[in-house]
Amino acid sequence: MPIATINPATGETVKTFNPATDEEVDAAIARAYERFLDYRHSTTFAQRAEWANATADLLEKEADDVAAMMTLEMGKTLASAKAETLKCAKGFRYYAENAEKLLADEPAEASKVGAKRAYVRYQPLGVVLAIMPWNFPLWQAVRFAAPALMAGNVGILKHASNVPQSALYLADVISRGGFPDGCFQTLLIPSGAIERILRDPRIAAATLTGSEPAGQSVAAICGDEIKPTVLELGGSDPFIVMPSADLDEAVKTAVKARVQNNGQSCIAAKRFIVHADIYDEFVDKFSEQMRGLKVGDPTDPDTDVGPLATESGRDEIAKQVEDAAAAGAKIRVGGEKPEGPGWYYPPTVITDITEDMALYKEEVFGPVASVYRAADIDEAIKIANATSFGLGSNAWTNDEAEQERFINDIEAGQVFINGMTVSYPELGFGGIKRSGYGRELAGLGIREFVNAKTVWVGESEAPDAGAGKTVE
């Protein structure tokens, strides 16, 4: 894939970029490593917080222009792009305010280990390579960058090839916020250049948000090099609705949860599992609201769903839907690839999906909702867990016993009851199974790339006054 801004609404190539040379990559790594050796010791939490807050100020001030840039590069609506920009500012402010206490020395019971003092001290690891996707061009990177920089690490960003302007902007705004040169750099490079960087001894760790194959590759390389990684991969999140739920609110949220970011979100609800007693009513209301969404120009404030980010992504979704329909699934809404320019796909609702269909197991990265009927809570949980993924999940019920069942029995890194899965700076974020490992955000996230150093300090006895003297 070329490194280029290609407008998904038109298919027009707006701007292309030359990839960095090997010499430029080596220079960036050297700059980052030398900066880390100084940055970790010469800066305080208070100073880093000042720079993080200044970066947040710039993001807020420039939000309209930044939103237009993201919409141009990957097709999200202007409203969602601006909300993402402001969320990035919030992320920087959260870690500016909380990093020092999240990484404060953690005392142990010294007397039980025979020490005068004993504690854990959290110290930065070094240069961290971040390999990020295009669907949230700024937020995905900021939820790594903000905690890493505040912890005393430095970062190198390898972003997706179709959002180069977003990638360059992030490095620029962090620099203008005051972080010293070399603290955060963007490298415009193809995927084939990643392995050489990961194997460089000056790279301490890596974090990736992306596909399973990309995660497998990075994990294998870093495993060989014995370097820590955080992986956030795909998701096929369940959205369960039980009879005690507020059905109208559940339907309204279900629509938002499915088409957020034009349906291109790892934590978007994708499989809607509905109790048999309310299944027909849910499907009717859900289909009606999905049908009523406006698909079109993402710069139009009335647009609900813009184009998909890439032509190949749109074609893959169309094939998934066509294959399911050919195998007997029923398309209630949408399901037809529109003619004309741009990589649009309509909001789609599919029912009557069986276990032998590929759609039952696959993640659909676009505005396509699969709806399943469950006889009871046991079957709902069984369907929810019948996937290799385990990122987020949603369950709607006002029965406290059912809530506890879902909290305990759904196999996922996150469970949202009577709401939709959302990432917050204040809450840990990540998955299990083939959705990856490790956590981002909150205290869990900032502690991923630090050395939890155990410190034991014993009593020092005064030397014997007669030691070393010759006895006559």
Side-chain angles (χ1 to χ4, degrees):
M1 176 184 289
I3 301 175
T5 297
I6 302 174
N7 186 349
T10 64
E12 173 194 5
T13 298
V14 177
K15 190 174 183 179
T16 59
F17 296 79
N18 293 321
T21 64
D22 287 348
E23 291 76 15
E24 289 170 331
V25 170
D26 289 340
I29 295 173
R31 187 181 307 116
Y33 184 70
E34 289 302 316
R35 172 56 63 195
F36 168 70
L37 296 179
D38 171 68
Y39 180 72
R40 63 174 300 191
H41 294 301
S42 66
T43 63
T44 63
F45 280 110
Q47 193 169 33
R48 296 174 210 156
E50 181 180 339
W51 296 331
N53 280 320
T55 301
D57 290 341
L58 289 169
L59 285 163
E60 291 169 347
K61 180 181 178 181
E62 299 165 2
D64 288 333
D65 290 339
V66 175
M69 174 186 66
M70 283 195 283
T71 295
L72 174 66
E73 289 206 301
M74 60 73 57
K76 68 172 67 206
T77 64
L78 277 174
S80 63
K82 184 171 182 178
E84 178 177 341
T85 307
L86 297 177
K87 187 172 185 176
C88 291
K90 181 181 178 182
F92 272 108
R93 294 197 194 284
Y94 171 80
Y95 282 107
E97 181 180 348
N98 294 286
E100 185 169 11
K101 63 185 176 184
L102 291 173
L103 295 179
D105 289 350
E106 189 173 308
E109 294 188 61
S111 62
K112 291 190 175 181
V113 294
K116 179 181 180 181
R117 290 183 291 134
Y119 54 93
V120 171
R121 174 160 293 176
Y122 296 100
Q123 296 181 309
L125 292 181
V127 184
V128 183
L129 176 65
I131 305 157
M132 293 290 116
W134 46 260
N135 57 333
F136 291 92
L138 291 188
W139 175 239
Q140 297 276 13
V142 165
R143 67 192 197 194
F144 147 75
L149 291 170
M150 284 301 304
N153 292 301
V154 302
I156 293 177
L157 171 64
K158 187 282 179 213
H159 219 322
S161 295
N162 59 328
V163 289
Q165 294 188 59
S166 298
L168 292 170
Y169 172 80
L170 185 59
D172 176 65
V173 76
I174 288 173
S175 175
R176 287 188 288 123
F179 285 96
D181 178 60
C183 278
F184 191 89
Q185 301 173 79
T186 285
L187 287 178
L188 299 183
I189 53 174
S191 297
I194 293 174
E195 180 171 357
R196 191 170 75 89
I197 299 174
L198 289 174
R199 292 193 184 279
D200 191 298
R202 293 167 295 185
I203 300 297
T207 179
L208 175 141
T209 298
S211 67
E212 283 184 81
Q216 289 171 323
S217 175
V218 168
I221 295 166
C222 287
D224 188 48
E225 296 290 335
I226 316 180
K227 294 180 180 180
T229 54
V230 170
L231 302 181
E232 193 263 279
L233 309 179
S236 190
D237 290 10
F239 189 107
I240 302 170
V241 186
M242 299 297 285
S244 67
D246 180 332
L247 186 60
D248 288 338
E249 189 63 27
V251 169
K252 178 182 175 182
T253 305
V255 172
K256 182 179 180 181
R258 176 59 285 208
V259 303
Q260 60 171 309
N261 208 44
N262 302 341
Q264 301 164 122
S265 171
C266 295
I267 56 170
K270 300 181 177 77
R271 296 176 300 129
F272 297 83
I273 303 162
V274 186
H275 192 281
D277 290 353
I278 55 171
Y279 177 86
D280 290 335
E281 186 179 3
F282 177 90
V283 170
D284 288 344
K285 291 184 175 183
F286 184 51
S287 298
E288 180 183 3
Q289 291 190 29
M290 290 283 277
R291 186 183 294 109
L293 295 172
K294 180 180 178 180
V295 180
D297 181 356
T299 65
D300 183 341
D302 293 329
T303 293
D304 297 305
V305 180
L308 299 182
T310 65
E311 185 175 19
S312 60
R314 194 268 301 271
D315 292 344
E316 180 180 353
I317 289 169
K319 186 178 186 304
Q320 288 175 304
V321 173
E322 290 165 5
D323 289 348
K330 183 176 181 180
I331 299 177
R332 303 289 186 119
V333 175
E336 294 184 2
K337 185 168 67 173
E339 299 294 332
W343 303 317
Y344 294 93
Y345 197 82
T348 299
V349 178
I350 306 178
T351 62
D352 301 276
I353 300 164
T354 57
E355 293 185 28
D356 58 332
M357 297 178 187
L359 196 65
Y360 188 87
K361 305 175 182 67
E362 296 174 346
E363 176 185 22
V364 183
F365 214 60
V368 177
S370 303
V371 187
Y372 300 84
R373 185 194 303 265
D376 53 29
I377 190 171
D378 293 323
E379 186 175 17
I381 292 172
K382 179 181 178 182
I383 296 171
N385 292 338
T387 174
S388 61
F389 297 109
L391 189 54
S393 61
N394 318 258
W396 285 72
T397 174
N398 286 311
D399 183 307
E400 291 187 5
E402 289 179 346
Q403 291 178 1
E404 283 300 310
R405 280 290 309 278
F406 291 131
I407 291 168
N408 287 323
D409 293 352
I410 291 179
E411 297 169 353
Q414 302 151 86
V415 178
F416 281 62
I417 304 296
N418 295 332
M420 60 179 274
T421 308
V422 178
S423 60
Y424 295 96
E426 299 86 354
L427 295 177
F429 182 94
I432 61 172
K433 298 162 72 171
R434 299 189 76 83
S435 288
Y437 53 76
R439 291 294 181 267
E440 297 175 296
L441 301 177
L444 295 171
I446 199 171
R447 290 183 177 182
E448 283 287 356
F449 295 125
V450 294
N451 173 21
K453 180 184 287 184
T454 295
V455 178
W456 186 99
V457 180
E459 296 284 357
S460 179
E461 295 183 358
D464 187 339
K469 291 184 178 181
T470 301
V471 178
E472 295 182 359

